[in-house]
Amino acid sequence: MLQQLQLISKQKIHDILHYFPKEDARIFLTKYYRMKSESLIGSAIYTSQNKRIMHFGEKTLSPKEKHKTKYWNSWINRYYDIVVPIQLVQEKYYISLRYTIAPIQKKLYKYIQRIFLLVALISIFVVITTIIILRSLILIPIFQLRKDLVHAGEVIQQNEVKASSFQSLQYKRKDELADVIEAFRQMFTQVRNQIKERKLAEEQLSLLNEHLEKRILYRTQELEDANQKLIHNAFHDELTGLGNRTQLLQVLQAHFTEKKQQEMFAIFIIDLDRFKYVNDSFGHGFGDKLLVAFSNRLEEFKSPETTIARIGGDEFAIYVQNVYNSDQAMTYARKIHQLISRAFYLENQEIFLTASIGIAIHSERYQNPESILRDADLVMYRAKELGRDRSEVFGAEMRASILKRIQLETELRRAVNSLQTQVQNNEFQIYFQPIVKLNDHTITGFEALLRWFHPKKGMISPNEFIPIAEETGLIVPLGSWVLEAICEKLSLWIQEFPHLSYLQFSINLSGKQFRQKDLPNTIENLLHTWGLQGQQFKLEITESSLVDDPELAREILLSLKKQDVKISMDDFGTGYSSLSYLHQFPFDTLKIDRSFVSRLQQEGKDIIRTIIALAKTLGMDVIAEGIETKEQNEALQQLHCPYGQGYYFGKPKNASETQKILQQL
């Protein structure tokens, strides 16, 4: 378009110069500008130095400005300047003509409108044609198929399914359209099912996410609670809510810092006596409730100067500040005993408890918490050895005694562990003490007694090692060894002295050994193995062995009686329910404790007379223990006591010496 304008302008300038070659510039421009032109809107003439000397209409550009002007600026402003050099009156000038391009744009717009209109008509025609084709080829079959499916569904509900129910499925596939429709129908069904499945999956996923969030919140709260509980449990007993051993050690550690080293305090270790029997009799659930009730009572001692902790099953500890001597400590211990002595009422049961208390008072010799707790614990066991339900304060002399006991326990454990499966043993030996008729001193049997010969210390008294064996449980394997050794020895003697088969050998059973449920089977196996008769055995048990579990004790005793084994109650009269036991259990013999024999000149005579009368009424034999003098022997004969044993008739002797006695019978 611009090139066309340029050609037109040059032609017009040529015409102008043809008609007005000799006129001056003013006349030339004035006449030319006044010529009719639809697109000319301004003109100017410039000298060769680009100086404008005449101008009409809109301002035009000089040749220099025209050179700098971009093409697109003129197009945007809808005008176009043409600069033409001319020679007028033998001088060179430049004529600048400005043309508007509006007329050409108008024509161009008309052409564009016509093109758009033509394209729109063609598009409308194509769309309408496409719709008609789609309707006839796809939509109508789909609508018919939908109608048939709805109708088929109604027929199915009425249980009237017929082949004619699916009219659209009976189309003949004469061309590809039927295949397309069938494929579309299947695809439509598949897509619809997938959409349903996806919606269902999204709903399930949403529910799962919601459930997961709730579980995460719940678990987070659980973890927080568990963390708090762990922190609490790290320093507290879970059952009673009291402090635990860790908390007690933490409190004690504060006193072994440089700042508090001089402050005085005491540790009280409290162990409930025979609490195992409570658990065995009433169950551990009842025992736990009793521990909680006991801990609630201990809370009465709670103060800023005390710390109360449960440091074991039935073992408690109280840390008390400002305790300077044993008198203060024992005063505090008496208060604890008074508190414990009150009855506990649980589940319609009245329970009385006692406790053994060990006390350790802080001094310079203690350098850490473990050391003072160790001494308090040691002296607590000392209180148990001395009879329970008492308190003991740890001292230097007691430490030596306890260490001696610990050493003895270690050596006893070594000796018991070294026992071979055979009955022979270098350290343990069986001694026999005769049991005689008091009227003629005829030997009717022997009591087997265990002796321990230490390889370095010599013979150790049974009063020293038997309690340790009872407490540590070593009495069970040791007692089994004693039974085996006696059976072997008795079998040999009966073979060598068959005329002495009437002799009875008494064997002491500890409480723990007697409560072994397999004891009757063990005795039966021993009798069978060594070819012995049950009446040649007499098992001696104490009243304390029956207290723990009377029902089990009765069952065991009845089983032993079926084997003709004789049963004797040892140390009769020292218990607190002997008469009831005599009626409940099948005893054959009562053994009067040596403590009554030693007091024959005092009240002991009346007690022995009563025991003898009671035994005679119940059809039992009586054996008096610990007879050491002629006077005691004569006094017992006057009381009509049939049997006795003691140093007056002979000290316990080993197997070889006892065999010599048997040879003389």
Side-chain angles (χ1 to χ4, degrees):
M1 183 180 65
L2 295 177
Q3 292 177 355
Q4 185 178 6
L5 288 175
Q6 187 176 7
L7 291 174
I8 295 172
S9 300
K10 287 183 177 181
Q11 183 64 35
K12 288 186 177 183
I13 291 172
H14 177 74
D15 293 340
I16 293 171
L17 294 177
H18 177 74
Y19 290 106
F20 308 103
K22 297 181 179 179
E23 296 182 12
D24 59 10
R26 180 181 295 276
I27 297 173
F28 169 75
L29 288 177
T30 299
K31 289 182 178 182
Y32 181 79
Y33 183 73
R34 290 177 180 175
M35 293 177 61
K36 293 182 179 181
S37 176
E38 296 180 357
S39 58
L40 185 63
I41 60 174
S43 62
I45 185 170
Y46 295 87
T47 64
S48 59
Q49 287 79 23
N50 294 317
K51 181 179 180 181
R52 186 174 58 190
I53 59 175
M54 186 64 67
H55 181 268
F56 294 97
E58 289 189 9
K59 183 179 178 182
T60 62
L61 299 177
S62 66
K64 185 177 181 180
E65 292 174 338
K66 177 66 172 63
H67 177 72
K68 296 180 180 180
T69 303
K70 299 295 182 182
Y71 167 79
W72 59 273
N73 286 337
S74 299
W75 172 260
I76 293 175
N77 293 325
R78 296 185 179 182
Y79 63 83
Y80 185 78
D81 291 345
I82 299 176
V83 179
V84 182
I86 60 173
Q87 191 75 19
L88 295 177
V89 193
Q90 297 183 352
E91 186 178 355
K92 188 176 181 180
Y93 295 90
Y94 294 95
I95 296 176
S96 178
L97 301 176
R98 173 162 290 189
Y99 293 91
T100 179
I101 63 174
I104 299 175
Q105 284 181 327
K106 289 180 181 180
K107 293 179 181 180
L108 183 60
Y109 291 156
K110 288 180 181 180
Y111 285 116
I112 293 174
Q113 289 175 356
R114 291 174 184 174
I115 292 172
F116 278 136
L117 180 60
L118 179 60
V119 172
L121 291 174
I122 294 172
S123 299
I124 292 171
F125 175 77
V126 172
V127 170
I128 293 173
T129 304
T130 304
I131 292 173
I132 293 172
I133 294 173
L134 290 175
R135 182 177 181 276
S136 60
L137 297 180
I138 299 176
L139 296 179
I140 291 177
I142 290 175
F143 291 150
Q144 182 62 38
L145 178 62
R146 180 178 180 276
K147 182 178 179 181
D148 291 345
L149 290 174
V150 172
H151 176 67
E154 295 174 353
V155 173
I156 290 172
Q157 292 179 353
Q158 298 174 3
N159 296 325
E160 296 178 358
V161 180
K162 298 179 181 179
S164 59
S165 300
F166 300 91
Q167 298 176 4
S168 61
L169 301 178
Q170 298 176 3
Y171 295 151
K172 295 181 179 179
R173 298 187 175 182
K174 295 181 179 180
D175 52 25
E176 295 181 357
L177 180 60
D179 295 336
V180 172
I181 293 173
E182 179 66 21
F184 178 79
R185 181 180 61 183
Q186 294 177 0
M187 182 176 65
F188 175 77
T189 303
Q190 183 179 2
V191 170
R192 181 179 60 186
N193 293 337
Q194 289 179 352
I195 291 174
K196 288 182 179 179
E197 292 177 357
R198 182 173 180 180
K199 288 183 178 179
L200 180 61
E202 289 177 350
E203 292 176 357
Q204 293 178 348
L205 182 60
S206 178
L207 292 175
L208 289 174
N209 286 335
E210 183 179 355
H211 180 66
L212 181 60
E213 290 178 357
K214 290 182 180 179
R215 287 185 63 85
I216 289 174
L217 292 175
Y218 177 74
R219 291 299 184 188
T220 302
Q221 185 62 41
E222 278 189 336
L223 288 174
E224 292 179 358
D225 295 342
N227 187 39
Q228 294 297 325
K229 187 176 181 180
L230 286 174
I231 295 174
H232 181 270
N233 290 346
F235 296 95
H236 293 82
D237 176 58
E238 186 175 359
L239 176 64
T240 63
L242 297 175
N244 57 14
R245 190 179 189 89
T246 302
Q247 186 190 66
L248 180 63
L249 289 172
Q250 189 179 52
V251 173
L252 290 175
Q253 187 61 45
H255 275 273
F256 288 94
T257 61
E258 182 178 355
K259 182 179 180 180
K260 297 184 178 181
Q261 181 67 19
Q262 302 303 321
E263 295 184 8
M264 296 298 294
F265 66 91
I267 291 295
F268 296 76
I269 300 294
I270 306 168
D271 189 86
L272 298 178
D273 297 329
R274 299 185 179 91
F275 192 79
K276 179 181 180 297
Y277 304 147
V278 175
N279 286 331
D280 293 342
S281 302
F282 300 99
H284 289 274
F286 183 90
D288 289 344
K289 293 180 181 179
L290 188 57
L291 289 174
V292 172
F294 177 74
S295 65
N296 291 337
R297 285 198 183 176
L298 289 183
E299 289 281 359
E300 297 183 19
F301 291 97
K302 191 173 183 179
S303 70
E305 295 183 345
T306 63
T307 297
I308 306 172
R310 181 188 179 206
I311 59 177
D314 57 351
E315 192 171 332
F316 297 79
I318 302 180
Y319 153 83
V320 185
Q321 298 181 24
N322 301 321
V323 176
Y324 296 91
N325 52 53
S326 299
D327 293 338
Q328 287 181 312
M330 292 301 294
T331 300
Y332 199 91
R334 282 192 290 271
K335 294 180 181 179
I336 299 175
H337 284 294
Q338 292 173 1
L339 187 71
I340 300 173
S341 64
R342 302 200 308 263
F344 293 85
Y345 297 93
L346 292 173
E347 299 180 359
N348 298 323
Q349 296 287 339
E350 184 181 26
I351 304 295
F352 289 92
L353 294 177
T354 61
S356 301
I357 303 177
I359 308 168
I361 302 174
H362 176 56
S363 64
E364 294 180 355
R365 68 172 177 269
Y366 295 119
Q367 300 299 322
N368 53 66
E370 289 78 8
S371 59
I372 191 170
L373 284 176
R374 176 201 61 209
D375 287 351
D377 200 53
L378 288 174
V379 77
M380 181 270 293
Y381 283 106
R382 178 62 175 170
K384 283 186 175 295
E385 291 175 3
L386 295 176
R388 298 184 174 88
D389 191 22
R390 60 183 294 149
S391 302
E392 292 292 331
V393 180
F394 186 85
E397 67 285 353
M398 185 173 293
R399 179 178 179 81
S401 174
I402 293 174
L403 291 177
K404 179 181 178 181
R405 182 188 181 280
I406 293 175
Q407 183 180 5
L408 187 62
E409 176 185 335
T410 302
E411 294 172 346
L412 177 62
R413 190 177 300 276
R414 174 197 53 77
V416 172
N417 291 338
S418 67
L419 289 174
Q420 304 298 322
T421 54
Q422 295 81 11
V423 297
Q424 297 297 329
N425 186 274
N426 295 328
E427 295 189 41
F428 294 105
Q429 296 183 23
I430 307 298
Y431 273 51
F432 299 89
Q433 187 176 34
I435 299 174
V436 302
K437 290 182 180 180
L438 294 182
N439 57 357
D440 59 4
H441 295 181
T442 301
I443 296 177
T444 61
F446 292 87
E447 180 180 359
L449 302 172
L450 179 64
R451 294 292 182 264
W452 180 22
F453 291 89
H454 192 277
K456 294 182 179 179
K457 299 178 181 179
M459 192 186 78
I460 298 177
S461 171
N463 294 331
E464 291 187 50
F465 74 86
I466 292 296
I468 296 176
E470 287 271 7
E471 184 179 333
T472 59
L474 294 172
I475 195 67
V476 175
L478 190 57
S480 298
W481 179 86
V482 170
L483 286 173
E484 185 79 18
I486 292 175
C487 287
E488 181 186 18
K489 185 59 65 177
L490 183 57
S491 176
L492 294 175
W493 285 343
I494 290 177
Q495 292 178 14
E496 185 175 355
F497 311 108
H499 63 286
L500 299 179
S501 59
Y502 64 88
L503 294 177
Q504 290 183 341
F505 285 79
S506 299
I507 304 172
N508 291 282
L509 292 181
S510 69
K512 290 185 178 180
Q513 188 178 10
F514 176 72
R515 287 190 293 273
Q516 301 293 316
K517 292 185 178 181
D518 61 343
L519 177 64
N521 293 332
T522 301
I523 297 297
E524 183 179 7
N525 293 333
L526 287 173
L527 294 176
H528 178 74
T529 300
W530 296 104
L532 302 174
Q533 301 297 320
Q535 63 267 20
Q536 295 170 329
F537 267 122
K538 181 178 288 186
L539 300 179
E540 297 186 4
I541 60 175
T542 61
E543 296 175 49
S544 60
S545 302
L546 309 174
V547 175
D548 300 337
D549 193 341
E551 292 297 327
L552 176 62
R554 179 178 176 81
E555 180 182 347
I556 292 175
L557 289 177
L558 291 175
S559 298
L560 292 173
K561 290 295 292 182
K562 291 179 180 179
Q563 303 176 37
D564 294 330
V565 176
K566 303 300 181 180
I567 308 297
S568 176
M569 177 178 281
D570 196 11
D571 301 333
F572 182 77
T574 59
Y576 51 84
S577 53
S578 301
L579 294 180
S580 64
Y581 289 153
L582 292 180
H583 287 284
Q584 293 181 37
F585 303 109
F587 290 106
D588 298 294
T589 304
L590 298 181
K591 297 193 74 173
I592 301 174
D593 188 69
R594 65 179 64 249
S595 62
F596 299 117
V597 175
S598 64
R599 292 180 292 169
L600 271 173
Q601 305 303 323
Q602 303 171 9
E603 73 278 4
K605 182 179 293 187
D606 294 333
I607 295 175
I608 292 175
R609 181 184 291 109
T610 302
I611 294 174
I612 294 173
L614 178 63
K616 184 177 181 180
T617 302
L618 297 175
M620 299 179 184
D621 290 332
V622 178
I623 300 176
E625 294 183 294
I627 302 174
E628 298 181 354
T629 64
K630 179 179 179 181
E631 290 76 17
Q632 291 175 344
N633 179 43
E634 293 176 351
L636 289 169
Q637 288 184 27
Q638 294 176 2
L639 294 173
H640 304 288
C641 179
Y643 302 100
Q645 69 180 95
Y647 281 8
Y648 180 71
F649 306 107
K651 295 182 179 181
K653 300 181 182 299
N654 59 27
S656 59
E657 293 175 338
T658 302
Q659 186 169 350
K660 293 179 181 180
I661 296 175
L662 294 176
Q663 291 173 351
Q664 299 174 4
L665 297 179

